[in-house]
């Protein structure tokens, strides 16, 4: 029941849960009104997460703005995710281990592997694989849902990741990633195959990964350097570039958002490169078909360097481009 007026929203018996705003909802924030309407078991932070995850619609249209103002008569639909299992279980999933000791493990994550369990991906994740591989050494480190995880890669992004196996390592690595290497030895570099050729060989993108003013806006900085240019000497076909991106901050989808912002989205990006999908039509065969069939964003974390939490030595790990991305780059080299 609404905590703001005697006039409570009307609850419609449907799946998902649908609530109709009463007169008392006028001018209230969506997250504020929804948290009060759903009752004491639903916190405002939980409601905000549901909104950002696309689980909330207003009058049939998905919304992702928590501060959106309500109006009387609006119908708000909430799709609740499936209940989480008690804790993730170990699964015998093959891992490409680059290094391992008693404190940490470094792996080369393949594209398609989700890092930790979540809505729609309760099994088959990197965490499930790590629990099987590392056994009890991950128990209790960093929380039940994310044992040992100090950073992550998107599901369809491949490359180097480090995972803590002790509380000491988790604290040290978490601090390094939170600091983004500004006062330490942490370095992260990615290779991205992007549409077009940037005007400058190097650059810096300083832009929040969501629109300024939103309550979840976060400052983000990416440094990029063009490694190769494809099709630069011709005008008949679309051009592309292989770009190295180094993170000064670490935000969700940061590189993908930043490269799209400067007009060079990552090839194959389903979220930020939609406007460039027809670019593939301006390529010769078989590259045209190769690009259209590429199932993911062409983004790979090729370098990770950090200071070991106990030896204090700087460790550096590299992962070459995976075969699918190497073949795609090879196709563009023939332009």
């Amino acid at each position: 029941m609404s905590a703001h007026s005697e006039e409570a929203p009307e609850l419609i018996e449907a799946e998902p849960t649908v609530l109709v705003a009463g007169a008392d909802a006028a001018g209230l924030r969506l997250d504020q009104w929804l948290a009060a309407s759903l009752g004491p078991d639903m916190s405002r932070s939980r409601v905000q997460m549901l909104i950002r995850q696309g689980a909330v619609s207003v009058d049939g249209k998905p919304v992702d703005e928590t501060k959106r103002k309500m109006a009387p008569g609006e119908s708000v639909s909430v799709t609740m995710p499936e209940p989480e299992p008690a804790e993730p279980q170990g699964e015998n999933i093959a891992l490409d281990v680059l290094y391992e000791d008693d404190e940490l493990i470094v792996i080369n994550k393949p594209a398609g592997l989700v890092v930790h369990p979540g809505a729609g991906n309760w099994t088959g994740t990197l965490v499930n694989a790590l629990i099987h591989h590392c056994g009890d050494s991950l128990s209790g480190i960093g929380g039940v849902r994310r044992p040992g995880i100090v950073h992550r890669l998107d599901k369809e992004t491949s490359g180097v990741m480090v995972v803590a196996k002790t509380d000491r390592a988790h604290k040290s690595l978490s601090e390094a990633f939170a600091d983004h290497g500004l006062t330490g030895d942490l370095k992260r570099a990615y290779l991205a195959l992007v549409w077009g050729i940037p005007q400058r060989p190097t650059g810096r993108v300083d832009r929040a990964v969501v629109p300024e003013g939103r309550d979840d806006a976060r400052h983000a900085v990416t440094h990029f350097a063009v490694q190769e240019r494809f099709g630069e000497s011709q005008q008949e076909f679309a051009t592309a570039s292989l770009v190295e991106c180094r993170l000064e901050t670490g935000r969700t989808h940061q590189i993908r958002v930043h490269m799209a912002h400067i007009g060079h989205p990552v090839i194959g990006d389903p979220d930020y490169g939609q406007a460039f999908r027809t670019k593939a039509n301006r390529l010769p065969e078989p590259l045209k078909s190769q690009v259209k069939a590429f199932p993911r964003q062409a983004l790979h974390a090729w370098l990770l360097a950090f200071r070991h939490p106990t030896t204090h030595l700087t460790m550096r790990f590299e992962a070459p481009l995976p075969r699918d991305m190497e073949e795609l780059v090879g196709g563009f080299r023939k332009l």
Side-chain angles (χ1 to χ4, degrees), residues 56-318:
V56 177
S57 297
V58 177
D59 289 339
K61 297 180 180 179
V63 294
D64 59 6
E65 177 54 65
T66 60
K67 293 181 179 180
R68 180 193 182 281
K69 300 299 183 182
M70 293 293 298
E74 288 184 316
S75 175
V76 180
S77 172
V78 183
T79 303
M80 300 298 295
E82 297 178 3
E84 297 186 12
E87 60 182 79
Q89 302 298 310
E91 297 178 42
N92 189 10
I93 301 170
L95 290 174
D96 182 1
V97 178
L98 303 181
Y99 174 84
E100 183 176 10
D101 60 24
D102 291 340
E103 297 288 331
L104 54 86
I105 180 172
V106 180
I107 62 108
N108 181 15
K109 187 188 88 67
L113 182 63
V114 175
V115 170
H116 53 78
N121 294 286
W122 297 120
T123 61
T125 71
L126 175 61
V127 163
N128 297 112
L130 289 167
I131 291 173
H132 176 85
H133 179 87
C134 301
D136 294 337
S137 63
L138 288 180
S139 178
I141 302 169
V144 173
R145 281 277 149 253
R146 300 166 53 99
I149 302 298
V150 294
H151 70 121
R152 72 177 186 88
L153 298 176
D154 292 339
K155 175 183 177 181
E156 299 300 345
T157 298
S158 54
V160 188
M161 284 188 63
V162 60
V163 177
K165 295 171 65 176
T166 67
D167 287 319
R168 172 174 51 192
H170 191 272
K171 181 176 184 296
S172 175
L173 292 169
S174 294
E175 289 174 351
F177 277 90
D179 183 62
H180 308 300
L182 296 179
T183 59
D185 299 325
L186 180 73
K187 293 181 180 178
R188 289 176 292 170
Y190 295 69
L191 287 172
L193 183 61
V194 304
W195 286 114
I197 300 173
Q199 292 183 346
R200 297 176 296 165
T202 61
R204 179 178 185 269
V205 185
D206 185 343
R207 179 180 174 83
V209 294
V210 296
E212 294 289 353
R214 270 182 43 168
D215 55 358
D216 57 343
R218 296 291 185 272
H219 177 247
V221 177
T222 301
H223 300 268
F224 70 86
V226 178
Q227 304 296 300
E228 292 187 62
R229 300 169 177 81
F230 307 117
E232 185 176 31
S233 61
Q234 52 79 44
Q235 297 181 346
E236 182 180 358
F237 304 118
T239 58
S241 304
L242 185 65
V243 178
E244 182 187 75
C245 297
R246 293 189 177 242
L247 300 181
E248 187 175 310
T249 60
R251 310 300 184 195
T252 301
H253 299 177
Q254 178 174 319
I255 292 174
R256 297 163 60 189
V257 171
H258 279 177
M259 296 312 295
H261 171 67
I262 63 173
H264 301 286
V266 178
I267 291 176
D269 193 324
D271 300 313
Y272 308 103
Q274 284 290 331
F276 282 67
R277 288 187 65 183
T278 57
K279 282 278 189 181
N281 294 326
R282 295 185 51 213
L283 295 172
E285 291 289 5
L287 182 57
K288 173 181 173 180
S289 296
Q290 191 178 3
V291 170
K292 287 188 173 183
F294 197 72
R296 65 181 183 97
Q297 63 263 10
L299 182 62
H300 175 70
W302 82 273
L303 168 68
L304 177 63
F306 56 89
R307 182 177 297 174
H308 194 281
T310 56
T311 68
H312 305 298
L313 296 175
T314 298
M315 308 187 76
R316 178 187 173 100
F317 299 95
E318 299 178 8

Side-chain angles (χ1 to χ4, degrees), residues 5-28:
S5 166
E6 295 179 355
E7 184 175 357
E10 177 187 359
L11 178 60
I12 300 175
E13 294 298 325
E15 183 64 29
T17 299
V18 178
L19 298 151
V20 177
D24 61 317
L28 294 179

